[in-house]
Amino acid sequence: MLNQAMTHVFHRNPQHTLKRAVRGQGISLFDQDGRQYLDASGGAAVSCLGHGHPDVIAAIKAQVDQVAYAHSSFFTTQACEDLADFLAARAPGDLDHVYFVSGGSEAIEAALKLARQYFVERGETGRSQFIARRQSYHGNTLGALAIGGNAWRRQPFLPLLVPAHHVSPCYAYRDQQPDETEEQYAARLADELEQKILEIGADRVAAFVAETVVGATAGALPPVRTYLRRIREVCDRHGVLLILDEVMSGMGRTGHLYACEEDGVAPDILAIAKGLGAGYQPIGAMLASRRIYDTIVGGSGFFQHGHTYMGHATACAAALAVQRVIERDGLLANVLARGEQLRARLREAFADHPNVGDVRGRGLFVGVEFVRDRADKSVLDPALKTHARLKRQAMENGLMMYPMGGTIDGVHGDHVLLAPPFICTAADIDEIVARLDRSVRQVLPG
């Protein structure tokens, strides 16, 4: 209970004593005792450039010397304009206008409100319903929590949440049938979405919301081939907007600046955060299609939304520096190469381990799912809190990784998420796998 006695910070878990991070360098963080931790999860898939990058630090200092903050109802700034230009020029489809906020939950809230206002401006005022997927996570604010499918996070706040609708996730490891091809599985999921739209009433549905690659809740679940294309077709057929959440999977994490590029799909609205600013400043963004933007501008002319720190000059300058470094140094190619290495090494390390059921992901966005018996995919007893034990043991071994329980249904299932910085070397990946292997075998001897 040291934290309760010695801190006035309301920590997320006040009963746990936290070490103090005092320095960051490259892919490592150091505590007050000088102990080093390999940041194999980038915090929460945030620190894509690692810690202490001189180019980003210099950009922040330069911006603060000019203007740190100007409220967006009075001014724009060059940093804000330049970052929007950078993102729009590289975005898929006609996503060409960017709305800057302070994080992922705010980006999703903006996306939901924009979708609703878009239909109001078009005179389709009946479109107020949102469909998402079970075992999804879209943020912790009430709107984002309402559409999300993370049962554990939602449960205490259900009386406060607006109704939303949920369909099956694209969870091939558990839900694709043995005699079903990926294309058939994708078609079955698309049919389920279509039936849900028809059940609600197509003229009442505003948008379908999905993580391009599912993040923390289910552990780096990538969609099967053709899934997102089939989903896009269903949305188009019924005039429903497609909102893709790339808060965790976007900005290069999968080896593509926008994760949906790999699937050949462009959404109507896209949410990004985390890797956008790499943790150097709090920032997120919503990208909107030209059609949606023009509807607002040609209608009321005003998006009825806003936050104090939207378009924050220093945050935009930091994010632009991050993205320029990634592009200049060719780090997306490294993400693809190191991601292939990471998954291959993990599969080799755990080839004989009865409690490692699945290794999955894209790029440097990798999940490891744990089971009681890999032969039948049965789950570990939730009371054991295996994911939490793995985190504690990994920290003892100088490794940071992102654990989660309730992988399957909010109660059953354990996994860990790995999302190391894009600057990782081959030797770094080998060391991450070695420390994780040691940690897993200490908690789950097999």
Side-chain angles (χ1 to χ4, degrees):
M1 300 297 180
L2 183 63
N3 265 4
Q4 291 177 313
M6 300 185 66
T7 182
H8 293 285
V9 176
F10 197 147
H11 290 284
R12 63 169 61 202
N13 192 335
Q15 293 184 331
H16 286 188
T17 299
L18 294 172
K19 298 279 191 180
R20 284 184 175 84
V22 298
R23 183 168 68 89
Q25 186 62 49
I27 70 165
S28 295
L29 284 169
F30 298 82
D31 68 18
Q32 74 268 26
D33 300 319
R35 191 169 183 198
Q36 180 183 23
Y37 303 82
L38 292 183
D39 190 358
S41 61
V46 173
S47 301
C48 58
L49 279 189
H51 305 277
H53 199 290
D55 292 37
V56 185
I57 293 169
I60 292 170
K61 289 179 176 177
Q63 185 62 47
V64 171
D65 282 343
Q66 296 170 18
V67 54
Y69 165 75
H71 195 279
S72 58
S73 68
F74 297 98
F75 294 100
T76 186
T77 64
Q78 195 61 49
C80 179
E81 297 291 335
D82 288 347
L83 180 57
D85 289 347
F86 183 98
L87 295 172
R90 293 155 180 79
D94 65 344
L95 295 170
D96 63 358
H97 283 83
V98 188
Y99 188 93
F100 292 112
V101 291
S102 297
S105 295
E106 285 186 15
I108 290 294
E109 292 285 336
L112 299 177
K113 292 177 77 173
L114 181 62
R116 171 60 182 165
Q117 186 174 335
Y118 166 74
F119 284 115
V120 170
E121 303 261 356
R122 286 169 53 91
E124 297 183 64
T125 56
R127 289 191 184 263
S128 61
Q129 303 297 301
F130 290 85
I131 305 172
R133 301 184 295 187
R134 294 186 294 276
Q135 290 308 96
S136 61
Y137 178 62
H138 298 292
N140 251 340
T141 49
L142 290 177
L145 201 60
I147 62 160
N150 186 307
W152 173 75
R153 293 181 191 267
R154 286 165 50 87
Q155 198 280 330
F157 308 105
L158 287 175
L160 307 180
L161 305 182
V162 296
H165 309 270
H166 296 93
V167 294
S168 299
C170 188
Y171 195 167
Y173 172 64
R174 292 197 171 271
D175 296 342
Q176 185 179 345
Q177 299 301 313
D179 61 348
E180 196 173 39
T181 66
E182 286 193 354
E183 288 77 11
Q184 290 169 334
Y185 178 45
R188 175 161 64 87
L189 292 174
D191 288 344
E192 181 185 348
L193 173 61
E194 186 154 39
Q195 289 307 307
K196 179 61 71 173
I197 291 172
L198 294 173
E199 173 191 318
I200 298 165
D203 60 349
R204 297 182 60 227
V205 179
F208 176 62
V209 187
E211 296 162 278
T212 304
V213 179
V214 180
T217 297
L221 278 181
V224 298
R225 288 190 305 262
T226 75
Y227 169 75
L228 284 177
R229 291 201 294 276
R230 295 299 297 265
I231 292 298
R232 173 82 266 183
E233 291 167 3
V234 170
C235 290
D236 288 345
R237 191 151 54 241
H238 297 287
V240 172
L241 297 179
L242 176 59
I243 300 173
L244 288 183
D245 177 348
E246 297 194 356
V247 167
M248 189 172 260
S249 64
M251 295 292 95
R253 175 54 59 190
T254 65
H256 300 267
L257 189 61
Y258 299 96
C260 59
E261 292 177 290
E262 186 168 342
D263 300 279
V265 169
D268 301 292
I269 301 174
L270 181 72
I272 55 176
K274 295 187 185 291
L276 174 60
Y280 287 89
Q281 290 281 287
I283 189 169
M286 174 195 70
L287 283 76
S289 70
R290 187 176 307 116
R291 170 170 58 108
I292 293 175
Y293 178 81
D294 288 347
T295 297
I296 303 299
V297 173
S300 67
F302 175 70
F303 179 28
Q304 197 169 328
H305 188 53
H307 293 282
T308 298
Y309 293 116
M310 59 181 286
H312 193 282
T314 308
C316 287
L320 183 59
V322 168
Q323 298 309 317
R324 283 175 170 165
V325 168
I326 291 170
E327 189 167 86
R328 181 197 71 197
D329 294 350
L331 292 180
L332 296 188
N334 193 57
V335 170
L336 291 171
R338 298 286 73 76
E340 289 287 344
Q341 178 194 357
L342 177 56
R343 290 187 296 279
R345 295 288 188 274
L346 288 168
R347 287 170 182 143
E348 291 169 6
F350 296 122
D352 64 341
H353 201 296
N355 302 124
V356 176
D358 193 30
V359 175
R360 55 180 175 250
R362 288 181 177 178
L364 285 174
F365 196 41
V366 176
V368 181
E369 183 172 339
F370 298 93
V371 294
R372 185 180 64 81
D373 184 347
R374 71 190 303 172
D376 61 9
K377 303 180 185 179
S378 55
V379 299
L380 294 159
D381 182 353
L384 296 175
K385 296 189 180 297
T386 301
H387 60 284
R389 292 163 59 212
L390 286 167
K391 178 185 178 181
R392 287 194 296 271
Q393 188 59 58
M395 287 292 283
E396 285 295 315
N397 293 330
L399 181 71
M400 296 166 57
M401 45 78 162
Y402 199 87
M404 185 65 67
T407 309
I408 301 167
D409 57 9
V411 176
H412 302 92
D414 297 88
H415 71 264
V416 299
L417 190 69
L418 299 174
F422 301 175
I423 58 173
C424 278
T425 65
D428 293 331
I429 296 297
D430 286 342
E431 183 60 25
I432 287 168
V433 173
R435 295 192 191 191
L436 181 61
D437 184 25
R438 186 184 322 137
S439 303
V440 169
R441 294 182 189 279
Q442 287 169 330
V443 173
L444 297 166

